[in-house]
C-alpha cells in the first residue's frame, strides 16, 4: 500500500471539495466496498482474471459441469424429438472412463437447457456458508458438477439425452479431452449428423454416433478454487459492481 499516495489523496483539492459538499462519507463508503471486492476477488499475485484460460494440469482436481446445451430441431435420427409435439427433455451425464460420475436434473420441453453449479434449493444455505456461517451440509453436497482428476491424454465423457418414457433418444455422445479444456468457460459447437449403423453381431448397432447437439458450454474450475469462484458469482449477481 502506498501511504504517500493516500496522504496526497486526502490533501487533494478534490477531497476538500467533497468534504465541503457533504459527499465525502458516502464516497468513502463506496471506496471501502470497492476495496473489499478487490480483496475478495483478486487475492492473487498476478492481475489476471481468476478462472479464465489456464490449461488444465495433470494430477490436479477440477469441478466440471455443463452450463448450457442447445440442440437442433430434430433428434439424431432426423425425427421430431417427441411424438406429442413437445421439445426434448434434456439432461446430461458425465463419465470418467466407463463410470458415470455426475447426472444432471432434466430440463423439460426445450431446445436450450441450462444448469448452474449450485441447485436453487441450496442457494440460501450457500450464501450463509460463504458469509462465514456454518451450513447444515458439507460444501461438496451443494455442487452440481462432476469431480475429475485431469490426466495427460484422458477425457471427460459427455452423454446428452432426451429423457422420455417411451421414445428416449440420444442428443449427443461427446468426449472432451482435458487437453481441449481450459479453466473457466469453454464453448463447443458441432454439425448435425445421423448415426451410421452396421456395428455389432447383428449389424444393426450404431457404428458411428449421430449428433443433434448444436453447442455446449462447459465450465471447469479447480476444486480448491470453487469457494472463491462461487463468491465471485454471488457478488456479481447481488452486488452489481
Ligand atoms: Ca423423445
Ligand atoms: Ca418433451
Amino acid at each position: 500500500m502506498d501511504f504517500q499516495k493516500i496522504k496526497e489523496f486526502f490533501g487533494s483539492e478534490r477531497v476538500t471539495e467533497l468534504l465541503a459538499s457533504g459527499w465525502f462519507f458516502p464516497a468513502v463508503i463506496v471506496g471501502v466496498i470497492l476495496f473489499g471486492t478487490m480483496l475478495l476477488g483478486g487475492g492473487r499475485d498476478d492481475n489476471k482474471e481468476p478462472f479464465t484460460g489456464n490449461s488444465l494440469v495433470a494430477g490436479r482436481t477440477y469441478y466440471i459441469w455443463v452450463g448450457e446445451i442447445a440442440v437442433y430441431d430434430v433428434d439424431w435420427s432426423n425425427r421430431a424429438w417427441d411424438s406429442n409435439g413437445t421439445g426434448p427433455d434434456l439432461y446430461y451425464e458425465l463419465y470418467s472412463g466407463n463410470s458415470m460420475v455426475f447426472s444432471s436434473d432434466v430440463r423439460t420441453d426445450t431446445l436450450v437447457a441450462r444448469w448452474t453449479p449450485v441447485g436453487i434449493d441450496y442457494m440460501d444455505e450457500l450464501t450463509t456458508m460463504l458469509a462465514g456461517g456454518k451450513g447444515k451440509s458439507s460444501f461438496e453436497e451443494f455442487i452440481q458438477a462432476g469431480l475429475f482428476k485431469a490426466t495427460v491424454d484422458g477425457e471427460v465423457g459427455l452423454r446428452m439425452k432426451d429423457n422420455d418414457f417411451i421414445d428416449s433418444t440420444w442428443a449427443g455422445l461427446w468426449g472432451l479431452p482435458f487437453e481441449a479444456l481450459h479453466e473457466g468457460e469453454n464453448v463447443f459447437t458441432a454439425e448435425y449428423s445421423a448415426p451410421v449403423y452396421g456395428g455389432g453381431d447383428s449389424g444393426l448397432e450404431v457404428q458411428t454416433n449421430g449428433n443433434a447437439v448444436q453447442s455446449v458450454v462447459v465450465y471447469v474450475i479447480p476444486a480448491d478454487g470453487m469457494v472463491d469462484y462461487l463468491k465471485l458469482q454471488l457478488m456479481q449477481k447481488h452486488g452489481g459492481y
Side-chain angles (χ1 to χ4, degrees), residues 26-220:
V28 166
I29 290 165
V30 169
V32 167
I33 292 170
L34 287 175
F35 185 62
T37 309
M38 265 160 53
L39 281 183
L40 268 173
R44 283 150 196 260
D45 295 337
D46 53 4
N47 290 323
K48 260 202 287 183
E49 275 281 299
F51 316 121
T52 49
N54 295 329
S55 302
L56 306 204
V57 177
R60 197 167 179 197
T61 305
Y62 296 89
Y63 276 112
I64 298 182
W65 72 94
V66 172
E68 184 181 289
I69 293 173
V71 297
Y72 288 98
D73 295 352
V74 285
D75 70 17
W76 80 9
S77 301
N78 209 15
R79 286 188 298 240
W81 283 103
D82 285 340
S83 48
N84 66 1
T86 65
D89 310 294
L90 297 169
Y91 74 103
Y92 72 93
E93 295 167 344
L94 297 177
Y95 276 74
S96 183
N98 289 322
S99 305
M100 189 182 77
V101 296
F102 179 73
S103 177
S104 79
D105 294 336
V106 177
R107 296 285 177 258
T108 309
D109 299 337
T110 183
L111 294 175
V112 182
R114 306 191 81 184
W115 293 270
T116 54
V118 177
I120 200 84
D121 296 347
Y122 285 122
M123 217 50 186
D124 284 346
E125 204 184 338
L126 180 75
T127 308
T128 309
M129 194 184 267
L130 291 180
K134 296 241 189 300
K136 291 191 287 274
S137 331
S138 75
F139 176 71
E140 282 71 21
E141 283 176 67
F142 293 144
I143 308 303
Q144 300 290 297
L147 268 175
F148 288 82
K149 209 173 253 299
T151 55
V152 174
D153 42 20
E155 64 172 29
V156 176
L158 173 59
R159 304 188 182 187
M160 297 163 278
K161 206 170 182 180
D162 167 26
N163 178 52
D164 285 316
F165 196 60
I166 299 165
D167 48 357
S168 272
T169 32
W170 288 109
L173 286 167
W174 292 17
L176 306 171
F178 291 117
E179 208 181 56
L181 294 165
H182 55 73
E183 287 181 18
E185 183 182 282
N186 298 258
V187 181
F188 299 97
T189 56
E191 297 289 315
Y192 179 88
S193 64
V196 176
Y197 293 93
D201 294 338
S202 63
L204 293 170
E205 289 173 30
V206 172
Q207 200 166 38
T208 309
N209 295 327
N211 179 61
V213 176
Q214 201 166 4
S215 64
V216 173
V217 182
V218 179
Y219 289 87
V220 179

